[in-house]
Amino acid sequence: MRMIDNFFDLFALHDAEYDKYPKSWIRASGKNLNKIFCKLLPGNYLDFLKSEIKLKTGINISTQTIKDWVSGRYGIPLIALEIVSRNIQDKKKIINSIEYLNTNSHHKIVLPKRPSPDLFYFIGVIIGDGSMPVSIRKYNGKRRWKIAIEMTAIDYVKTVLIPLIKSLFNIKPRVYKRKREGKKETITLIMNSKIVYRFLEKIIEIPPGKKSNKVEIPDFNKISDRLIMATISGILDTEGGIHMFTFGGSSNSKMLREQIVEFLCKKGFEMKIWDWINIKGERTYSFGFKKINRNIIKKLKLKNKNLINYIMRACEVTG
């Protein structure tokens, strides 16, 4: 993960490859942000910012645009905030003062500033049943920033995932339902947000595109047990089920399975592992609990009621 001490490095949201024009820059706003920005500016701030931005981006910024940033009329681009930051303390002050971020869409996106169980539960959901495709819009050739989560547990989506996304990012995802003959109805949540996509890709470092064979729990050897448990809970709430007569999950990432099994064994669970190879020769790495009991629900703090009921019925059958 990209961190500045105990803060997420929100400056990493700026991407020079795609943010080639000022309209595409991610901007920050906050009550105290402008005060901090103005204090950090040198006396000749107009010439200073013009030359530094020109050096970093090749773009000429007008005097009026800079004055609009200083006055608070418009949000301040992250690239400008990073330019005036002289040290780590300056960066931490700036990040702590950011209340919301936006682009030319004007929608106010809120991002977590520090790691939390709720955020890592959401990360687990993305690892378990989410996708971040790398795609280009046909009509203008620009990158799409789509995050999708597809589930069959409709109540879980409505009561857990939608409120969680709203609380973390101030986004209400679009909801699409699909019914296929002979299969359960599925519900797909869609977030079209460059800021949230970049946050997951650049800061949390979840690989976009076909991530399944290389995804892992972020900073597994550095974060607290509480955050690891929240991540595994998110993974199992979305991807978990009955595998080989036990409750568990599977992944195309061997590293992810190793992390999950290592951690749960450390927490006193007896685990087993096995591999599958499909007709294409692709290997799937599976894991499960040797014994299904109520401690799985309690210790992992599962939230998916459909899954919890599933485990409870299995407990009754196995005794």
Side-chain angles (χ1 to χ4, degrees), residues 18-29:
Y18 294 102
D19 300 339
K20 294 180 180 179
Y21 306 102
K23 283 186 177 180
S24 65
W25 290 352
I26 295 174
R27 296 173 173 81
S29 299

Side-chain angles (χ1 to χ4, degrees), residues 193-232:
S193 171
K194 179 170 77 172
I195 295 172
V196 177
Y197 191 107
R198 291 261 184 90
F199 177 75
L200 296 174
E201 178 190 9
K202 301 290 185 183
I203 298 174
I204 304 301
E205 297 182 331
I206 295 176
K210 295 182 179 180
K211 62 177 173 58
S212 58
N213 66 336
K214 53 188 175 182
V215 72
E216 56 186 80
I217 297 173
D219 283 9
F220 178 74
N221 294 315
K222 296 179 182 179
I223 60 175
S224 67
D225 285 3
R226 189 182 179 201
L227 296 181
I228 295 174
M229 188 67 89
T231 310
I232 296 173

Side-chain angles (χ1 to χ4, degrees), residues 43-110:
N44 61 336
Y45 72 90
L46 288 173
D47 293 336
F48 171 75
L49 282 177
K50 282 183 181 181
S51 63
E52 288 296 315
I53 290 174
K54 173 71 174 177
L55 184 65
K56 288 182 178 291
T57 68
I59 296 171
N60 292 310
I61 295 295
S62 70
T63 298
Q64 186 57 52
T65 297
I66 295 174
K67 287 182 178 179
D68 287 339
W69 300 343
V70 172
S71 67
R73 184 180 179 187
Y74 295 116
I76 307 166
L78 291 175
I79 189 171
L81 290 167
E82 188 169 27
I83 285 170
V84 301
S85 303
R86 295 165 298 190
N87 50 48
I88 289 176
Q89 293 305 316
D90 288 347
K91 289 185 176 183
K92 288 168 63 178
K93 284 180 184 178
I94 288 170
I95 292 169
N96 198 38
S97 299
I98 294 174
E99 294 179 11
Y100 63 88
L101 298 145
N102 62 15
T103 56
N104 56 358
S105 68
H106 303 297
H107 183 78
K108 297 178 180 179
I109 302 293
V110 175

Side-chain angles (χ1 to χ4, degrees), residues 118-166:
D118 279 350
L119 173 62
F120 273 74
Y121 178 85
F122 176 77
I123 291 168
V125 169
I126 295 296
I127 292 172
D129 246 349
S131 63
M132 295 166 55
V134 178
S135 58
I136 304 295
R137 292 184 174 92
K138 291 182 179 179
Y139 68 90
N140 61 9
K142 292 184 178 180
R143 176 85 178 269
R144 295 185 68 192
W145 308 101
K146 184 174 83 171
I147 304 159
I149 303 166
E150 186 172 355
M151 298 283 298
T152 56
I154 295 174
D155 288 343
Y156 166 71
V157 170
K158 290 180 177 179
T159 60
V160 177
L161 289 188
I162 292 176
L164 178 65
I165 291 167
K166 178 68 175 176

